[in-house]
Amino acid sequence: MTSAKPYETVSPSEPISTPAQTESLAGRTGMILAGLAGASAVGIGAFGAHGLPDFLEQSGLDPDTVARRLEQFETGARYHLAHAIVLLGLAVAPLRWSGWLRTIRALMVAGLIFFSGSLYVLVLTNTPVMGAITPIGGVCWIVGWLMFVGCRDSSTSQ
């Protein structure tokens, strides 16, 4: 019998059959999402701080528009990193993995895509209409945050 590594919870050929395996897989998936969100937030933030100003100036935008676009990009990056941390918290939280938590995680990821992603596209393409998508991401985050009210820790109830 081979010993499994701590991060290898279930082989692809074995069905998930126990609550512990389900929770472990959910935690692993959450760690992957949090890691990808965090790494991309840092990389995008670094680009925003170091490469974006020159990119926007070379795009022929006037100084006021460049300043506005830099602020919008920074807002997207700040919220992106904050919600990457939320995803990490969800991955390690002592909460049972119910449909509520799956939905919260999905809403946090949707918020990253619609809020931060639309701001990144708006800035990089100078397409102000993309700003109409941004509130969808904000609503996803608000609903996700409000859903925490329904969560219980694993020691209280099933």
Side-chain angles (χ1 to χ4, degrees):
M1 179 171 172
T2 62
S3 64
K5 295 180 177 123
Y7 55 85
E8 293 179 333
T9 58
V10 179
S11 75
S13 62
E14 295 177 31
I16 297 173
S17 58
T18 68
Q21 288 175 321
T22 301
E23 302 250 340
S24 182
L25 184 59
R28 175 75 176 133
T29 301
M31 292 297 283
I32 291 168
L33 285 172
L36 292 173
S40 61
V42 172
I44 289 168
F47 169 72
H50 302 290
L52 185 60
D54 288 340
F55 173 82
L56 293 176
E57 289 169 8
Q58 292 173 4
S59 296
L61 300 176
D62 63 88
D64 289 339
T65 302
V66 168
R68 191 169 55 255
R69 296 293 181 252
L70 289 173
E71 185 178 317
Q72 290 165 325
F73 196 90
E74 194 276 329
T75 297
R78 183 175 60 247
Y79 278 78
H80 184 156
L81 184 58
H83 286 85
I85 295 167
V86 171
L87 288 170
L88 177 60
L90 283 170
V92 300
L95 300 170
R96 63 186 167 93
W97 272 90
S98 66
W100 281 75
L101 285 177
R102 285 183 191 85
T103 302
I104 291 169
R105 183 169 63 194
L107 287 165
M108 294 298 164
V109 171
L112 287 174
I113 293 166
F114 289 111
F115 185 92
S116 296
S118 67
L119 287 176
Y120 300 149
V121 172
L122 181 157
V123 170
L124 294 172
T125 63
N126 193 33
T127 311
V129 72
M130 290 301 294
I133 296 171
T134 307
I136 296 169
V139 169
C140 289
W141 282 334
I142 291 167
V143 172
W145 279 105
L146 291 174
M147 285 185 71
F148 274 112
V149 174
C151 291
R152 308 261 189 284
D153 75 29
S154 59
S155 65
T156 58
S157 67
Q158 290 288 48

